[in-house]
Amino acid sequence: MIKTTTTILDQIRQELRENVEESDTFDSQRFFKETVICYGVRTPVVRAIAKKYFKEVKQLDKKELFALCEQLLQNRYNEEATIAIQWASGIAKQFEKSDFMIFESWLEKYIDNRWKDDDFCLHIIRPMIEKYPELIEQVKSWAHSTNMWQRRASAVSFITTLGGFYATNHNLKDIFVVAETLLHDPEDLVQKGYGWMLKAASIHNQKAIFEFVMKHKATMPRTALRYAIEKLPPNLKKQAMIR
C-alpha cells in the first residue's frame, strides 16, 4: 500500500538534508547570478532520490501526482523542483493538451531561476509542444511576458536535450519570431536563452541561422551572438563577429 503523500515528502526532505554536500569546493550559489534556495545536494544525487521515490508515486492518478509535484515546487528549493520536474516528465506519455494550463501556471508561479527554467522547458514544455504543435503559438507569446523566466522559456522550449531543436515544417519561422522578439532583451540570461536556441538550430540549419545572425549582428547583443554562432565553422564565425 502506498504511503501518504505527506510521508513521502517528509522522507524526501529528510534524505535531501542527509545528502547535503559539505565540501568547501561545492557551492550551489556559484552557478547562479540570481539568489537561489538550495539544500546543497549534488544533482546526480537529487535525481537518484527522485527516481527512488517515483516508484512509489507513479501509480498515483495524474491529478494527484501533479498536486504532489506542485507541493514540491511551492517549497522553492532547487532540489525539490528538480524532483517535481523529473516526476512530471516521467508520465509524459499521459500528457494531455489540457495539462498545458497547469504547466503554464507552474512556470508563472514557481520557476524563478535558470536551472529550474531550463529543466522545466527541456523536460516538460518541449515534449508538450512536440505532442501538441498547436501549443507553439502560446509558447511563442511568452516572449512578450514581463516575467524574464517566461521570456527565456519561449526560446529554450524549442531545444531538445540531444543538442538539436524541436522540428516541425515551420519551426525555423517560429524560432526566428521568438529570436526577433527577444533580440534586444535587457536580461543577460534571456539573451543567452535565445542564443542557445539559435545555436541548437544551427546544427541542422547552418545557412539559415548564419543569414539570421548576419542580418541582425549590428544590433544583436554580443552575448547572444556568441552563443548563436558557437557551432558554426570558423570562417562563418569570423564573419559574424566583424562589426
Side-chain angles (χ1 to χ4, degrees), residues 75-109:
N75 213 30
R76 297 294 179 185
Y77 282 85
N78 263 27
E79 292 91 343
E80 293 190 34
T82 296
I83 293 170
I85 293 166
Q86 188 166 321
W87 283 0
S89 66
I91 60 166
K93 290 182 179 179
Q94 298 180 41
F95 285 176
E96 298 173 274
K97 187 177 177 181
S98 58
D99 294 330
F100 188 78
M101 292 181 63
I102 296 172
F103 298 148
E104 193 168 32
S105 73
W106 290 357
L107 174 60
E108 183 178 354
K109 293 187 289 186

Side-chain angles (χ1 to χ4, degrees), residues 129 136 158 165-176 201:
I129 62 174
I136 286 176
F158 286 98
F165 72 112
Y166 171 55
T168 68
N169 290 334
H170 60 287
N171 188 249
L172 278 175
K173 180 191 73 174
D174 291 328
I175 70 167
F176 288 153

Side-chain angles (χ1 to χ4, degrees), residues 5 28 51 60 62 68 94 96 136 139 151 153 222:
T5 55
S28 300
K51 183 178 180 180
L60 290 172
K62 182 176 67 173
L68 196 57
Q94 298 180 41
E96 298 173 274
I136 286 176
V139 171
R151 298 201 303 277
R222 300 297 267 187

Side-chain angles (χ1 to χ4, degrees), residues 176 179-180 183 198 208-216 220:
F176 288 153
E180 287 182 338
L183 195 67
L198 292 171
I209 299 303
F210 177 70
E211 290 175 352
F212 179 88
V213 169
M214 293 300 288
K215 177 181 177 181
H216 296 285
M220 181 184 290

